[in-house]
Amino acid sequence: MKGLKVVFWVLWRIWFYILMAIPILIMLPFLLVSIASEKGYPYFFKMARIWAKFILFGMGFYYKVEREEKLVRNKSYMIVANHTSMTDIMLMLALVKNPFVFVGKKELSKIPLFGFFYKRTCILVDRTSSKSKNEVFKRAQNRLNQGLSICIFPEGGVPDDESILLDEFKDGAFRLAIEHQIPIVPIVFADNKERFSYTFFSGSPGKMRAKVLPFVATEGLAADHRKELRDQVRQMIYKDLLKFKNKEK
């Protein structure tokens, strides 16, 4: 029985990367046109949402979303969520209609085909370089000035220890939100770690629950409030993660 599970996990993981490639190849001419200039990004974003939903459906995932507040069209936000799985990217794209730009780790740009578009449309950060972090801040400011939203996973990466429910948050997202006086949208992903974690021999098709929490205003806040704001948002996400865990018991 264990041998069958191992075979399933291997084939299922391979299938994930095949699913990532199929819609990119189908939409390739349109994707290339959309990334030719920054003005084409909203069109790229629409195709990215199709790509994300195709993968989730193809992997046997179905998502259920609870929204305590809804995003307003043509308004910029700072979107933050807990980070436990590569499927966080797909689920975030499926849930949020407002065009946003990911701030993500540089390593993902090495994935064939996906990486080509990832490094041309996302803001990449090298976590080992302070110069890279400063450049990220400048690029994010530029995107916000264009009327887009920004999505950051403030844990700064997926914790190596999967028993950690929620790692500590970095300041960057909250510094940017205060700088531009835009609301913070906290989102909780309850099941992504169980569905498709970074542990190779794990996961299964099934439900992905998500919850959009009440937005956190930043009007009137100054830069020295960022740590307080960071801790407030982290606590919101942490409390709801605990609620999801308690429902499972």
Side-chain angles (χ1 to χ4, degrees):
M1 189 66 179
K2 189 176 180 180
L4 287 174
K5 280 188 175 181
V6 170
V7 171
F8 166 78
W9 279 321
V10 170
L11 294 176
W12 196 51
R13 292 275 169 166
I14 293 171
W15 177 237
F16 175 76
Y17 289 101
I18 292 172
L19 284 173
M20 286 180 67
I22 290 171
I24 293 176
L25 291 171
I26 292 172
M27 297 187 292
L28 188 59
F30 306 102
L31 289 168
L32 291 171
V33 170
S34 69
I35 66 169
S37 70
E38 290 187 346
K39 290 181 180 178
Y41 186 80
Y43 303 103
F44 173 86
F45 183 79
K46 289 180 181 179
M47 288 182 280
R49 295 192 73 226
I50 294 170
W51 170 83
K53 292 179 180 181
F54 180 86
I55 294 168
L56 293 175
F57 177 79
M59 290 294 290
F61 302 136
Y62 62 97
Y63 51 91
K64 183 179 180 182
V65 191
E66 181 184 346
R67 301 179 192 270
E68 294 199 18
E69 197 167 345
K70 293 184 178 180
L71 280 74
V72 177
R73 191 177 177 183
N74 297 325
K75 184 174 180 179
S76 293
Y77 297 90
M78 176 59 66
I79 304 162
V80 300
N82 58 306
H83 194 23
T84 58
S85 167
M86 193 169 175
T87 58
D88 296 341
I89 295 172
M90 292 81 185
L91 189 54
M92 186 68 79
L93 285 165
L95 299 186
V96 180
K97 294 181 180 179
N98 288 37
F100 65 83
V101 176
F102 279 111
V103 173
K105 57 185 180 181
K106 188 178 180 181
E107 293 87 338
L108 291 181
S109 64
K110 297 176 183 178
I111 298 174
L113 198 58
F114 166 81
F116 174 84
F117 292 98
Y118 177 78
K119 66 185 177 184
R120 285 164 177 78
T121 56
C122 299
I123 299 170
L124 306 190
V125 58
D126 180 353
R127 287 172 290 178
T128 63
S129 167
S130 56
K131 181 180 178 182
S132 172
K133 292 176 183 177
N134 290 330
E135 187 63 28
V136 164
F137 191 77
K138 291 177 184 176
R139 291 189 62 194
Q141 284 183 315
N142 180 51
R143 288 305 212 171
L144 287 168
N145 289 333
Q146 292 171 359
L148 297 172
S149 294
I150 297 291
C151 177
I152 297 179
F153 297 110
E155 291 168 274
V158 177
D160 293 329
D161 182 355
E162 290 195 4
S163 67
I164 295 173
L165 186 61
L166 186 66
D167 212 347
E168 295 302 317
F169 280 8
K170 305 293 190 295
D171 290 352
F174 309 97
R175 178 185 168 195
L176 272 168
I178 291 173
E179 177 84 17
H180 289 266
Q181 297 286 282
I182 57 174
I184 295 171
V185 181
I187 299 179
V188 181
F189 293 147
D191 306 299
N192 292 13
K193 185 189 293 184
E194 286 71 28
R195 295 280 77 83
F196 199 83
S197 79
Y198 278 90
T199 299
F200 191 87
F201 296 112
S202 67
S204 65
K207 180 166 63 177
M208 287 178 161
R209 295 169 295 170
K211 186 175 182 180
V212 180
L213 302 179
F215 302 167
V216 180
T218 59
E219 287 89 347
L221 296 183
D224 56 359
H225 292 110
R226 70 183 185 277
K227 294 186 185 297
E228 181 183 339
L229 182 64
R230 174 199 68 192
D231 294 342
Q232 177 190 350
V233 173
R234 184 185 180 277
Q235 193 61 24
M236 289 172 67
I237 293 175
Y238 184 70
K239 282 182 178 179
D240 266 83
L241 277 171
L242 287 177
K243 289 178 184 176
F244 276 118
K245 294 298 175 188
N246 290 332
K247 285 179 184 177
E248 294 171 4
K249 295 178 180 179

